Amino acid sequence: MGQWIELVANDGFALPAWQVSPESTPRGAVVLLQEIFGVNHHIRDVAARLAARGWLAVAPALFTRVQKNVELGYLPPDIERGRALKAAAQALPGQGVLADVQAAIDHAAVDSGARVAVMGFCWGGLLAWRAACELYGLSAAVPYYGGGMTEPAELARRPGVPVLAHFGERDAHIPVAGVRQFADAQPAAEVHVYAADHGFHCDQRASYEAAAAQLAWTRSMDFLERHLVGA
């Protein structure tokens, strides 16, 4: 069973987060970062899947600084609205939403008493990558098709924790050539490319690719096992 909790960032800003706890003592924690559609049914479902594997899952509502209570679907009007909200969130001064990600990491560490990883999808994948490079208290990062990760400014970053990155070879938003550049620039990162499109993990989207989603999930769970428990 999940519940909404409140996080407070280092600048005093309060935001909600969806938390799902495992049935027994957490083996580790995962801060789950949303797509441009908010902490919607898909993100809550991923949180439940993580908790079923023994991880405490915390999904901060990262649009709260620009608009509260955002939960979108996947139709064109939802995509248009999500892109506008993302642009507004990206334009925030200072750390912006990364301060909220840090608040989720800090909370997850205390609540689980264990190591913390960050996992994100699309916009959340980009934020997971930035968190791996800029934030503290993490042991691993798992970005899925992070839009913008292949831009020059992102290629120049250096993560402070192990990174497992998933991309789709048919993703028009993230061309394979850019993924190759990312892999070359980040030799320490584990990079996988799947015969899939953008959003291939989400079974509520037309771009869902079951085989790719299952393989990426298996790799992600193994990766979390190694870096949250086995390290």
Side-chain angles (χ1 to χ4, degrees):
M1 295 294 292
Q3 62 178 335
W4 287 103
I5 62 169
E6 184 178 82
L7 304 174
V8 180
N10 57 14
D11 61 357
F13 183 79
L15 70 151
W18 181 252
Q19 176 168 304
V20 186
S21 301
E23 292 184 357
S24 56
T25 302
R27 302 166 61 245
V30 180
V31 171
L32 183 60
L33 305 182
Q34 64 180 65
E35 299 171 294
I36 62 171
F37 308 106
V39 182
N40 64 2
H41 182 272
H42 169 57
I43 295 298
R44 297 195 300 271
D45 178 65
V46 175
R49 292 176 63 189
L50 289 167
R53 297 295 294 260
W55 315 117
L56 173 72
V58 181
L62 296 177
F63 281 150
T64 304
R65 288 181 185 261
V66 295
Q67 186 172 321
K68 297 179 180 179
N69 304 320
V70 175
E71 181 172 347
L72 303 176
Y74 303 100
L75 296 176
D78 298 305
I79 295 172
E80 183 177 354
R81 184 178 171 204
R83 286 174 174 166
L85 288 166
K86 172 191 170 183
Q90 294 280 79
L92 289 167
Q95 269 196 309
V97 299
L98 282 181
D100 303 330
V101 177
Q102 185 66 67
I105 294 168
D106 295 344
H107 165 81
V110 171
D111 210 51
S112 69
R115 295 186 178 100
V116 180
V118 63
M119 174 185 289
F121 299 86
C122 188
W123 181 48
L126 173 62
L127 293 175
W129 167 246
R130 290 178 176 173
C133 300
E134 296 186 27
L135 303 184
Y136 56 87
L138 286 172
S139 293
V142 185
Y144 277 74
Y145 33 83
M149 281 178 61
T150 59
E151 296 297 322
E154 304 302 328
L155 298 181
R157 295 183 187 272
R158 289 296 174 262
V161 297
V163 173
L164 169 65
H166 304 293
F167 297 96
E169 68 180 9
R170 298 197 299 271
D171 189 340
H173 305 286
I174 313 172
V176 172
V179 175
R180 294 195 189 100
Q181 288 181 322
F182 178 84
D184 289 342
Q186 305 294 337
E190 185 177 337
V191 179
H192 293 283
V193 180
Y194 303 84
D197 203 341
H198 191 79
F200 67 80
H201 176 83
C202 180
D203 59 5
Q204 299 174 32
R205 301 178 69 170
S207 56
Y208 174 63
E209 189 68 49
Q214 183 56 55
L215 179 54
W217 185 255
T218 298
R219 285 170 169 163
S220 296
M221 294 305 100
D222 290 345
F223 186 78
L224 293 179
E225 191 77 28
R226 291 199 307 273
H227 297 291
L228 296 187
V229 180

